[in-house]
Amino acid sequence: MKKLLPFKKDLMEKKTKIIVLLVFVTLVVITVLGVSLGLTLKLSSPKPEVVEVVGEPDYTIKIEWKKVIGAKQYIIKYRYRDVYGEKYAFVTTDDNFVVIKRVKGNLDFSVQALNGREIQTSNFSHERTYVVEGLKLPALKSFGFTELPSFSAKINQDFEPVTYIYKGAEKEVEFYEFSDNHNPGDVVVLSYAELVEYVFNFPPGETYAKFRPVIYATIGDTIVDGPIELKELYENPTTYVVVRHYNPE
């Protein structure tokens, strides 16, 4: 076996050291660049979506998104535009989902990923809109009028308030609306207690009065809400009960 000459042996050792040094430097540069990029690159924006809409008894909505690599927390920005206007609510969570109160109408929402460094905070995701279907109140049952002196009338004892179930309890609708064929644009809203005592003075001839439950009353320019769950969850019915009454000419 041939032996390397001393000068050739030294040359090989120098080359080996140079290669090892270059590899070490390369690894250091790669590590530094990786750490630098990891500390400066923005996080990806989450892509949230509504995954669950729950009814009785919880009435909640779940918004979920895939975890963002490097994210420590998330901020959810949302609003129920139709019921509560343009103002947003904000929720911070360590999870990749949030459960919020269910409210009818347009739900606008977006999510931002956080890592503890402002420079890495993602942009809020593109705002999405989910239309939460409003609930339907039970129909008002048929009833009639009881005639009073001087051709006036009151609703009879067949009138039953509309009821609904909320968080396991049966509750009554508070307000009712009525109008008649003589002045169809003149709509009156009364509470149940007021309606059962109301005296109707219809003009001579045939009257068709129509009634329905409503979720709020308008007194002048002021809106008086019924129970909060009616405002947040239910739609005004579009179906009326029509009651006929005849006053002699």
Side-chain angles (χ1 to χ4, degrees), residues 48-53 61-64 107 109 128 130:
E49 60 181 341
V50 172
V51 296
E52 187 176 52
V53 179
I61 289 179
K62 184 177 183 180
I63 300 172
E64 191 175 85
L107 166 60
F109 59 96
R128 302 193 63 183
Y130 183 89

Side-chain angles (χ1 to χ4, degrees), residues 5-223:
L5 294 175
F7 76 92
K8 288 186 176 180
K9 185 177 180 181
D10 291 342
L11 184 60
M12 289 294 293
E13 290 177 351
K14 288 180 179 178
K15 286 183 177 180
T16 300
K17 289 180 179 179
I18 291 171
I19 292 172
V20 171
L21 181 60
L22 287 173
V23 171
F24 175 76
V25 171
T26 301
L27 290 174
V28 170
V29 171
I30 291 173
T31 302
V32 171
L33 284 174
V35 172
S36 177
L37 289 172
L39 292 175
T40 58
L41 288 180
K42 276 186 175 293
L43 300 178
S44 299
S45 295
K47 297 180 179 179
E49 60 181 341
V50 172
V51 296
E52 187 176 52
V53 179
V54 179
E56 175 70 25
D58 298 319
Y59 299 103
T60 57
I61 289 179
K62 184 177 183 180
I63 300 172
E64 191 175 85
W65 55 91
K66 290 183 179 179
K67 290 183 178 180
V68 174
I69 296 175
K72 304 298 183 184
Q73 287 185 313
Y74 303 91
I75 297 177
I76 300 87
K77 178 175 73 170
Y78 70 94
R79 65 182 175 184
Y80 285 105
R81 192 188 335 141
D82 299 340
V83 176
Y84 289 115
E86 302 298 317
K87 188 176 181 179
Y88 285 93
F90 294 84
V91 177
T92 302
T93 179
D94 298 335
D95 299 311
N96 63 317
F97 68 88
V98 67
V99 177
I100 60 176
K101 187 177 185 180
R102 175 177 173 174
V103 177
K104 69 187 178 188
N106 288 289
L107 166 60
D108 303 322
F109 59 96
S110 59
V111 178
Q112 184 181 45
L114 306 176
N115 187 267
R117 288 170 56 91
E118 186 175 348
I119 195 171
Q120 283 188 282
T121 298
S122 79
N123 296 323
F124 271 100
S125 60
H126 177 71
E127 186 171 83
R128 302 193 63 183
T129 298
Y130 183 89
V131 181
V132 183
E133 184 177 3
L135 302 180
K136 305 294 189 295
L137 286 171
L140 182 63
K141 294 180 181 179
S142 297
F143 61 93
F145 287 116
T146 296
E147 292 190 11
L148 300 176
S150 304
F151 304 109
S152 58
K154 293 176 64 175
I155 61 174
N156 65 21
Q157 295 180 348
D158 292 334
F159 184 90
E160 296 180 13
V162 172
T163 61
Y164 60 96
I165 303 297
Y166 180 68
K167 294 188 179 297
E170 184 178 50
K171 305 185 77 171
E172 293 184 356
V173 176
E174 183 174 353
F175 297 112
Y176 296 84
E177 171 191 290
F178 70 88
S179 60
D180 60 50
N181 58 307
H182 304 292
N183 298 288
D186 187 10
V187 177
V188 178
V189 178
L190 299 174
S191 68
Y192 170 73
E194 292 170 330
L195 183 61
V196 295
E197 296 298 327
Y198 191 81
V199 176
F200 296 85
N201 292 297
F202 296 126
E206 194 167 41
T207 295
Y208 292 92
K210 61 179 186 178
F211 298 80
R212 67 169 180 172
V214 290
I215 62 176
Y216 62 85
T218 301
I219 301 175
D221 294 329
T222 303
I223 293 177

